Amino acid sequence: MQRKIRAAGALCAALALAVAAACTDDAGGDGSGPEGAGEVFEEDRLVDMVNESNRLLYDLENAENRIIQNCLEREGFTVHDQMWFTTYEPEEQEALYEAGDWGGWLPDADEAARFGLGTWSTTAEGQADEDLDAYYEHEGIVVDSAAEGDVSAGVDRLDNSEFEALSDQEKFDWAVAFYGEATAIEEQGHLVGEEAPSTDDADAGDLDLEGDFDYVQPEPGGCQREMIDALYDDLQLIEDPEGGEYRSANWSWRPVNPVDDFAKWDEFEIRYEEQLADVRTALVECLDEHGRTGWEFDDEGMLPLSDYFYELYEGTADVHDHPDLPDDAPTDYEGKKEFEIAFAVDLAECGEATGYGDIAEQAWADSRNDYYLSIETSVYAWQEEVRTTLTTAQEVIEG
């Protein structure tokens, strides 16, 4: 059964997005809807689009790897570092979002009363807590008994033993053949006593930007470069837009999936944040009424709970972006765990009283739906570009 996204009128009320056609009952059936959208805004269509993009990217990664591996084997390298050649088939998505994607840091009443916020489980004393197994089962956490202390979500272990058995010189030679000498020295030079050049005042080459760089990635070489030249014609050095004061530049060659246009997503993130302003104020006021004063939402849209409870258990925190602990905060493990559970119960009660979880989840759902609608046409164009590249890749592989 197809599941339609919220009625157009509700979308407008929720986010006041600039998608005018979404504010009519026919949702753009007269052709006035957002470019690339169908007659009805159906989540199923958008989910299919996302799944197809994930599948194409998986196929593209495998094709790139096959070309590189064939090149390496022509040069006599038959044992490979599987870290570079292992891809995982994407899991089919059933929806654009899942419950808790908005953050999920707000516990429900039963969860809070049993496990608090779970911070106790990360401490040395918590590892011997009788509630630990129940908490892990509740969270779906798998402990790998083959590696003591290795807690994971059940990711399959990679068998790279054949490559690890090679000598250091053989590993380095393989790296040179894989991505060129400059990158091999930077990544694996320690194996043979080679030191990577200093990144101070790194040379950005032809990148037409002012100032010095802290890091510039070496230009791709070896079999990786052979693959790039065979499939792509847009190899370019790009400054990391998220670098802040630390300036770095890295090489890019694949066509970028419009889903990864973080600047565009920021527009919808701002609208999402605006939708939550009132309920966040209400939640903080509720905590005040429970004696939990001084709380503010951080830049990630969450209460800085992790740092607060890390300081409770460890006595200090790297970042003090949270209220001070009470003067009478407990000092023994059992007392700290009880304090955490009592706090979590208050937090859960405030979440229920303000409706925070439901409001945040709906606002997040609306923002995801509207974001994907806004990029639908460009995503389909990207998919066609990838399909063309896959056709070229198959021709290269077949020789």
Side-chain angles (χ1 to χ4, degrees):
M1 181 178 66
Q2 287 191 331
R3 186 156 64 94
K4 307 292 177 62
I5 68 174
R6 283 180 50 142
L11 281 172
C12 297
L15 293 180
L17 292 174
V19 185
C23 300
T24 66
D25 289 339
D26 66 0
D30 61 356
S32 61
E35 185 180 4
E39 292 186 359
V40 179
F41 297 167
E42 296 176 346
E43 185 186 22
D44 282 1
R45 186 187 72 248
L46 300 177
V47 171
D48 288 344
M49 179 185 74
V50 171
N51 284 327
E52 176 67 0
S53 292
N54 291 340
R55 186 190 67 78
L56 286 169
L57 184 57
Y58 172 72
D59 289 345
L60 184 60
E61 289 174 346
N62 284 328
E64 291 176 351
N65 288 343
R66 180 71 179 278
I67 292 170
I68 294 173
Q69 188 168 323
N70 288 350
C71 170
L72 288 168
E73 292 180 356
R74 286 198 307 271
E75 297 186 14
F77 296 92
T78 58
V79 177
H80 307 292
D81 184 350
Q82 296 304 316
M83 293 293 293
W84 285 98
F85 292 125
T86 300
T87 57
Y88 296 96
E89 190 168 1
E91 184 176 348
E92 192 85 357
Q93 289 185 210
E94 297 181 355
L96 291 180
Y97 71 97
E98 296 180 358
D101 277 356
W102 52 270
W105 48 267
L106 188 64
D108 61 35
D110 291 340
E111 178 184 13
R114 289 185 67 195
F115 304 120
L117 299 173
T119 310
W120 55 269
S121 70
T122 66
T123 68
E125 297 96 333
Q127 290 299 298
D129 195 302
E130 62 182 8
D131 295 330
L132 186 65
D133 289 343
Y135 175 70
Y136 280 172
E137 182 178 359
H138 177 267
E139 293 294 315
I141 296 173
V142 177
V143 179
D144 189 343
S145 59
E148 185 177 353
D150 185 4
V151 179
S152 69
V155 176
D156 293 336
R157 287 192 166 276
L158 183 68
D159 182 7
N160 207 24
S161 56
E162 193 173 4
F163 184 80
E164 293 300 330
L166 297 177
S167 69
D168 287 347
Q169 184 64 56
E170 287 172 324
K171 292 176 185 175
F172 179 76
D173 291 343
W174 182 93
V176 172
F178 183 95
Y179 38 45
E181 185 173 15
T183 302
I185 291 174
E186 180 176 278
E187 299 291 336
Q188 304 292 336
H190 63 279
L191 295 175
V192 293
E194 293 275 2
E195 291 188 8
S198 171
T199 59
D200 294 340
D201 299 331
D203 181 12
D206 295 332
L207 192 60
D208 186 19
L209 294 170
E210 297 179 357
D212 297 324
F213 281 78
D214 298 288
Y215 171 77
V216 175
Q217 182 185 30
E219 185 170 348
C223 289
Q224 184 181 60
R225 181 57 176 267
E226 180 173 308
M227 177 275 295
I228 294 170
D229 290 344
L231 300 184
Y232 304 106
D233 57 7
D234 194 27
L235 176 65
Q236 55 184 314
L237 192 60
I238 299 175
E239 182 175 9
D240 179 8
E242 304 296 328
E245 294 183 2
Y246 182 87
R247 299 189 74 198
S248 64
N250 295 273
W251 291 92
S252 173
W253 51 86
R254 276 187 194 160
V256 178
N257 187 341
V259 169
D260 296 328
D261 183 350
F262 300 114
K264 188 172 187 62
W265 170 245
D266 284 346
E267 300 174 15
F268 290 84
E269 182 71 11
I270 290 171
R271 295 169 184 173
Y272 165 74
E273 295 288 328
E274 290 172 347
Q275 283 301 114
L276 297 184
D278 290 343
V279 73
R280 285 178 176 171
T281 299
L283 183 68
V284 169
E285 289 176 349
C286 179
L287 287 174
D288 286 342
E289 293 169 1
H290 283 72
R292 313 290 184 176
T293 60
W295 286 95
E296 296 180 357
F297 280 82
D298 60 22
D299 293 339
E300 301 299 321
M302 297 184 291
L303 296 177
L305 300 169
S306 297
D307 292 334
Y308 183 73
F309 285 103
Y310 185 87
E311 183 170 331
L312 172 70
Y313 286 103
E314 303 298 330
T316 185
D318 292 337
V319 179
H320 192 83
D321 56 356
H322 52 269
D324 292 333
L325 291 166
D327 293 336
D328 60 351
T331 57
D332 63 296
Y333 170 73
E334 291 299 333
K336 292 174 181 179
K337 183 181 177 184
E338 290 177 4
F339 178 87
E340 177 187 342
I341 289 175
F343 184 100
V345 168
D346 287 344
L347 181 61
E349 289 179 0
C350 287
E352 182 68 25
T354 60
Y356 187 96
D358 290 340
I359 293 172
E361 185 166 336
Q362 186 61 67
W364 180 256
D366 291 341
S367 69
R368 295 290 285 180
N369 284 323
D370 292 315
Y371 173 64
Y372 279 111
L373 283 171
S374 75
I375 62 173
E376 190 174 14
T377 297
S378 56
V379 169
Y380 290 140
W382 173 85
Q383 289 178 353
E384 284 305 310
E385 187 174 0
V386 172
R387 290 188 186 98
T388 299
T389 303
L390 285 170
T391 299
T392 302
Q394 188 61 36
E395 294 171 354
V396 173
I397 291 169
E398 293 175 353

Coordinates of all heavy atoms in Angstrom, one line a residue, residues 22-68:
A22 N 2.3 22.6 -3.2 CA 2.0 21.6 -2.2 C 0.8 22.2 -1.3 O 0.3 21.5 -0.4 CB 3.2 21.4 -1.3
C23 N 0.4 23.4 -1.5 CA -0.7 23.9 -0.7 C -2.0 23.8 -1.4 O -3.0 24.6 -1.1 CB -0.4 25.4 -0.4 SG 1.1 25.6 0.5
T24 N -2.2 22.9 -2.4 CA -3.5 22.7 -3.0 C -3.8 21.2 -2.8 O -2.9 20.4 -2.7 CB -3.4 23.0 -4.5 OG1 -2.5 22.1 -5.1 CG2 -3.0 24.5 -4.7
D25 N -5.1 20.9 -2.9 CA -5.5 19.5 -2.8 C -4.9 18.6 -3.8 O -4.7 17.4 -3.6 CB -7.0 19.4 -2.8 CG -7.6 20.0 -1.5 OD1 -6.9 20.1 -0.5 OD2 -8.8 20.3 -1.5
D26 N -4.7 19.1 -5.1 CA -4.2 18.2 -6.1 C -2.7 18.2 -6.1 O -2.1 17.4 -6.9 CB -4.7 18.6 -7.5 CG -4.2 20.0 -7.9 OD1 -3.4 20.6 -7.1 OD2 -4.6 20.4 -9.0
A27 N -2.1 18.9 -5.2 CA -0.6 18.9 -5.0 C 0.2 19.0 -6.3 O 1.1 18.3 -6.6 CB -0.2 17.6 -4.3
G28 N -0.3 19.9 -7.1 CA 0.5 20.2 -8.4 C 0.0 19.4 -9.5 O 0.8 19.3 -10.5
G29 N -1.1 18.8 -9.5 CA -1.6 18.0 -10.6 C -1.9 18.9 -11.8 O -2.0 18.4 -13.0
D30 N -1.9 20.2 -11.7 CA -2.1 21.1 -12.8 C -0.8 21.5 -13.5 O -0.8 22.4 -14.3 CB -2.9 22.4 -12.4 CG -2.2 23.2 -11.3 OD1 -1.1 22.7 -10.9 OD2 -2.6 24.2 -10.9
G31 N 0.3 20.9 -13.0 CA 1.6 21.2 -13.6 C 2.3 22.3 -12.9 O 3.4 22.7 -13.3
S32 N 1.7 22.8 -11.8 CA 2.3 23.9 -11.1 C 3.2 23.5 -9.9 O 3.7 24.3 -9.2 CB 1.3 24.9 -10.5 OG 0.4 24.2 -9.6
G33 N 3.3 22.2 -9.8 CA 4.1 21.6 -8.6 C 5.6 21.8 -8.9 O 6.0 22.3 -9.9
P34 N 6.4 21.5 -7.9 CA 7.9 21.6 -8.0 C 8.4 20.8 -9.1 O 7.9 19.7 -9.4 CB 8.4 21.1 -6.6 CG 7.3 20.2 -6.1 CD 6.0 20.8 -6.6
E35 N 9.4 21.3 -9.8 CA 10.0 20.7 -10.9 C 10.4 19.3 -10.6 O 11.1 19.0 -9.7 CB 11.2 21.5 -11.4 CG 11.8 21.0 -12.7 CD 13.0 21.8 -13.2 OE1 13.4 22.7 -12.4 OE2 13.5 21.5 -14.2
G36 N 10.0 18.3 -11.4 CA 10.3 16.9 -11.3 C 9.4 16.1 -10.5 O 9.5 14.9 -10.4
A37 N 8.4 16.8 -9.8 CA 7.5 16.1 -9.0 C 6.3 15.5 -9.8 O 6.0 16.1 -10.8 CB 6.9 17.0 -7.9
G38 N 5.7 14.4 -9.4 CA 4.6 13.9 -10.1 C 3.3 14.5 -9.7 O 3.3 15.5 -9.0
E39 N 2.2 13.9 -10.1 CA 0.9 14.5 -9.8 C 0.5 14.5 -8.4 O -0.1 15.4 -7.9 CB -0.2 13.7 -10.6 CG -0.1 13.9 -12.1 CD -1.3 13.3 -12.8 OE1 -2.1 12.7 -12.2 OE2 -1.3 13.4 -14.1
V40 N 1.0 13.5 -7.6 CA 0.8 13.4 -6.2 C 2.1 13.2 -5.5 O 2.9 12.5 -5.9 CB -0.2 12.3 -5.8 CG1 -0.4 12.2 -4.3 CG2 -1.5 12.5 -6.5
F41 N 2.3 14.0 -4.4 CA 3.6 13.8 -3.7 C 3.5 12.5 -2.9 O 3.0 12.5 -1.8 CB 3.8 15.0 -2.8 CG 3.9 16.3 -3.5 CD1 3.9 17.5 -2.8 CD2 4.1 16.4 -4.9 CE1 4.0 18.7 -3.4 CE2 4.3 17.6 -5.5 CZ 4.2 18.8 -4.8
E42 N 4.1 11.5 -3.4 CA 4.0 10.2 -2.7 C 5.4 9.9 -2.2 O 6.4 9.9 -2.9 CB 3.6 9.1 -3.7 CG 2.2 9.3 -4.2 CD 1.8 8.2 -5.3 OE1 2.8 7.6 -5.7 OE2 0.6 8.1 -5.6
E43 N 5.4 9.5 -0.9 CA 6.7 9.2 -0.2 C 7.3 7.9 -0.9 O 8.5 7.8 -1.1 CB 6.5 8.9 1.2 CG 7.8 8.6 1.9 CD 7.7 8.2 3.4 OE1 6.6 7.7 3.8 OE2 8.6 8.4 4.2
D44 N 6.4 7.0 -1.4 CA 7.0 5.8 -2.0 C 7.8 6.1 -3.2 O 8.9 5.5 -3.4 CB 5.8 4.9 -2.5 CG 5.2 4.1 -1.3 OD1 5.7 4.3 -0.2 OD2 4.3 3.4 -1.6
R45 N 7.4 7.1 -4.0 CA 8.2 7.5 -5.2 C 9.6 8.0 -4.7 O 10.6 7.7 -5.3 CB 7.5 8.6 -6.0 CG 8.2 8.9 -7.3 CD 7.6 10.0 -8.0 NE 7.8 11.3 -7.4 CZ 6.9 12.1 -6.8 NH1 5.6 11.6 -6.7 NH2 7.2 13.2 -6.2
L46 N 9.6 8.8 -3.7 CA 10.9 9.4 -3.2 C 11.8 8.3 -2.6 O 13.0 8.4 -2.8 CB 10.6 10.5 -2.2 CG 9.8 11.7 -2.8 CD1 9.5 12.7 -1.6 CD2 10.5 12.4 -3.9
V47 N 11.2 7.4 -1.9 CA 11.9 6.3 -1.3 C 12.6 5.5 -2.4 O 13.7 5.0 -2.4 CB 11.1 5.4 -0.4 CG1 11.8 4.2 0.0 CG2 10.6 6.2 0.8
D48 N 11.8 5.2 -3.5 CA 12.3 4.5 -4.6 C 13.5 5.2 -5.2 O 14.5 4.6 -5.6 CB 11.2 4.3 -5.7 CG 10.2 3.3 -5.3 OD1 10.4 2.5 -4.4 OD2 9.1 3.2 -5.9
M49 N 13.4 6.5 -5.3 CA 14.5 7.3 -5.8 C 15.8 7.2 -5.0 O 16.9 7.0 -5.5 CB 14.1 8.8 -5.9 CG 15.2 9.7 -6.4 SD 14.6 11.5 -6.3 CE 14.7 11.8 -4.5
V50 N 15.6 7.2 -3.7 CA 16.7 7.1 -2.8 C 17.4 5.7 -2.9 O 18.6 5.5 -3.0 CB 16.3 7.4 -1.3 CG1 17.4 7.0 -0.3 CG2 15.9 8.8 -1.1
N51 N 16.5 4.7 -2.9 CA 17.1 3.3 -3.0 C 17.8 3.1 -4.4 O 18.8 2.4 -4.4 CB 15.9 2.3 -2.9 CG 15.5 2.1 -1.5 OD1 16.3 2.2 -0.5 ND2 14.2 1.9 -1.3
E52 N 17.3 3.6 -5.4 CA 17.9 3.5 -6.7 C 19.3 4.2 -6.7 O 20.3 3.7 -7.3 CB 17.0 4.1 -7.8 CG 17.7 4.1 -9.2 CD 17.9 2.7 -9.8 OE1 17.6 1.7 -9.1 OE2 18.5 2.6 -10.9
S53 N 19.4 5.4 -6.1 CA 20.6 6.1 -6.0 C 21.6 5.3 -5.2 O 22.8 5.2 -5.6 CB 20.4 7.5 -5.3 OG 19.6 8.3 -6.1
N54 N 21.2 4.7 -4.1 CA 22.1 3.9 -3.3 C 22.6 2.7 -4.1 O 23.8 2.3 -4.0 CB 21.4 3.4 -2.0 CG 21.1 4.6 -1.0 OD1 21.8 5.6 -1.1 ND2 20.2 4.4 -0.1
R55 N 21.7 2.0 -4.8 CA 22.1 0.9 -5.6 C 23.1 1.3 -6.7 O 24.1 0.6 -6.9 CB 20.9 0.3 -6.3 CG 21.2 -1.1 -7.0 CD 20.0 -1.5 -7.9 NE 19.7 -0.6 -9.0 CZ 20.4 -0.6 -10.1 NH1 21.4 -1.4 -10.3 NH2 20.1 0.3 -11.1
L56 N 22.9 2.4 -7.4 CA 23.8 2.8 -8.4 C 25.1 3.2 -7.9 O 26.2 2.8 -8.5 CB 23.2 4.1 -9.1 CG 22.0 3.8 -10.1 CD1 21.4 5.1 -10.5 CD2 22.5 3.0 -11.3
L57 N 25.2 3.8 -6.7 CA 26.5 4.1 -6.1 C 27.2 2.8 -5.7 O 28.4 2.8 -5.9 CB 26.2 5.0 -4.9 CG 27.5 5.5 -4.1 CD1 28.4 6.3 -5.1 CD2 27.1 6.4 -2.9
Y58 N 26.5 1.8 -5.2 CA 27.1 0.6 -4.9 C 27.7 -0.1 -6.1 O 28.8 -0.6 -6.1 CB 26.0 -0.3 -4.3 CG 26.4 -1.8 -4.0 CD1 27.3 -2.1 -3.0 CD2 25.9 -2.8 -4.8 CE1 27.7 -3.4 -2.8 CE2 26.2 -4.1 -4.6 CZ 27.1 -4.4 -3.6 OH 27.5 -5.8 -3.4
D59 N 26.9 -0.1 -7.2 CA 27.4 -0.6 -8.5 C 28.7 0.1 -9.0 O 29.6 -0.4 -9.5 CB 26.3 -0.6 -9.6 CG 25.2 -1.6 -9.3 OD1 25.4 -2.5 -8.4 OD2 24.1 -1.5 -9.9
L60 N 28.6 1.5 -8.8 CA 29.7 2.3 -9.3 C 31.0 2.0 -8.5 O 32.1 1.9 -9.1 CB 29.3 3.8 -9.2 CG 30.4 4.8 -9.7 CD1 30.6 4.6 -11.2 CD2 29.9 6.2 -9.5
E61 N 30.9 1.9 -7.2 CA 32.0 1.6 -6.4 C 32.6 0.2 -6.7 O 33.9 0.1 -6.8 CB 31.6 1.6 -4.9 CG 31.3 2.9 -4.3 CD 30.8 2.9 -2.9 OE1 30.4 1.8 -2.4 OE2 30.7 3.9 -2.2
N62 N 31.8 -0.8 -7.0 CA 32.3 -2.1 -7.4 C 33.0 -2.0 -8.7 O 34.0 -2.7 -8.9 CB 31.1 -3.1 -7.4 CG 30.7 -3.6 -6.1 OD1 31.5 -3.7 -5.2 ND2 29.4 -3.8 -5.9
A63 N 32.4 -1.2 -9.7 CA 33.1 -1.1 -11.0 C 34.4 -0.4 -10.9 O 35.4 -0.9 -11.5 CB 32.1 -0.4 -11.9
E64 N 34.5 0.6 -10.1 CA 35.8 1.3 -9.9 C 36.8 0.4 -9.3 O 37.9 0.3 -9.8 CB 35.6 2.5 -9.0 CG 34.8 3.7 -9.6 CD 34.5 4.8 -8.6 OE1 34.9 4.6 -7.4 OE2 34.1 5.8 -9.0
N65 N 36.4 -0.4 -8.3 CA 37.3 -1.3 -7.7 C 37.8 -2.4 -8.6 O 39.0 -2.8 -8.6 CB 36.6 -2.0 -6.5 CG 36.4 -1.1 -5.3 OD1 37.0 0.0 -5.2 ND2 35.5 -1.4 -4.4
R66 N 36.9 -2.9 -9.5 CA 37.2 -3.9 -10.4 C 38.3 -3.4 -11.4 O 39.3 -4.1 -11.8 CB 36.0 -4.4 -11.2 CG 36.2 -5.4 -12.3 CD 36.6 -6.8 -11.6 NE 36.8 -7.8 -12.7 CZ 35.8 -8.4 -13.3 NH1 34.5 -8.2 -13.0 NH2 36.1 -9.3 -14.2
I67 N 38.1 -2.2 -11.9 CA 39.1 -1.6 -12.8 C 40.5 -1.4 -12.1 O 41.5 -1.8 -12.7 CB 38.6 -0.2 -13.3 CG1 37.4 -0.5 -14.2 CG2 39.7 0.5 -14.1 CD1 36.7 0.8 -14.6
I68 N 40.5 -0.9 -10.9 CA 41.7 -0.8 -10.2 C 42.4 -2.1 -9.9 O 43.6 -2.3 -10.1 CB 41.5 -0.1 -8.8 CG1 41.0 1.4 -9.1 CG2 42.7 -0.1 -8.0 CD1 40.6 2.1 -7.8

